[in-house]
Amino acid sequence: MNTNKPAVPNTTVTRNVHDLDRTTDNLYESLVVIAKRANQISNNVKEELHGKLAEFASSNDNLEEIFENREQIEISKHYERMPKPVLVAIDEFLNDKIYHRNPAKEQK
C-alpha cells in the first residue's frame, strides 16, 4: 500500500448522505461498496505490517529485546497514525477512485 496518499482526515467528519448515494442512487449500496473497499485496504495494511514486523521476529527473543526494539515500535506507531481504512475508502468513493458495479442492475 502506498503511504504517499492524499491527505485523509484522521478524525470523524460529518458527511452529507446525498454525496454518498450520488453514484449508485442507493445509500445502502454505496455503504456496501465502501465497506468492501475498507476491508481490502485493511487486509493490505495488515499484510504489509506483518511483513515488516516479521523482519524483527526471532526464535530466541528475551523480554528485554522485545521491549527495547525501537525500530519495531516506530513502525507500529506509524501504522497507528495512519487514517482508518473506512476513512480512506470513503475518500476514494467520493472522489470516484473505486470501480464498482452491480450485476443485478446490469441484467435489468
Side-chain angles (χ1 to χ4, degrees), residues 3 10 45-46 48-57 65-84:
T3 56
N10 267 339
V45 169
K46 187 177 182 181
E48 183 179 313
L49 175 61
H50 285 295
K52 287 184 179 183
L53 293 179
E55 296 172 5
F56 298 102
E65 290 176 358
I66 292 173
F67 289 115
E68 293 180 3
N69 194 339
R70 296 288 173 217
E71 291 177 42
Q72 186 176 359
I73 292 170
E74 288 302 316
I75 289 172
S76 296
K77 284 182 180 180
H78 169 73
Y79 280 92
E80 288 174 4
R81 287 189 298 265
M82 288 175 63
K84 302 296 181 220

Side-chain angles (χ1 to χ4, degrees), residues 3-67:
T3 56
N4 297 329
K5 288 194 170 233
V8 175
N10 267 339
T11 58
T12 304
V13 176
T14 303
R15 305 272 183 198
N16 185 351
V17 175
H18 298 292
D19 290 342
L20 293 176
D21 68 359
R22 177 175 37 110
T23 58
T24 61
D25 295 326
N26 184 333
L27 176 63
Y28 301 106
E29 184 177 342
S30 297
L31 293 177
V32 168
V33 171
I34 291 169
K36 287 183 178 185
R37 178 63 183 139
N39 284 336
Q40 290 174 345
I41 294 168
S42 177
N43 288 336
N44 289 341
V45 169
K46 187 177 182 181
E47 287 175 13
E48 183 179 313
L49 175 61
H50 285 295
K52 287 184 179 183
L53 293 179
E55 296 172 5
F56 298 102
S58 170
S59 60
N60 56 1
D61 280 345
N62 60 28
L63 257 107
E64 291 147 7
E65 290 176 358
I66 292 173
F67 289 115

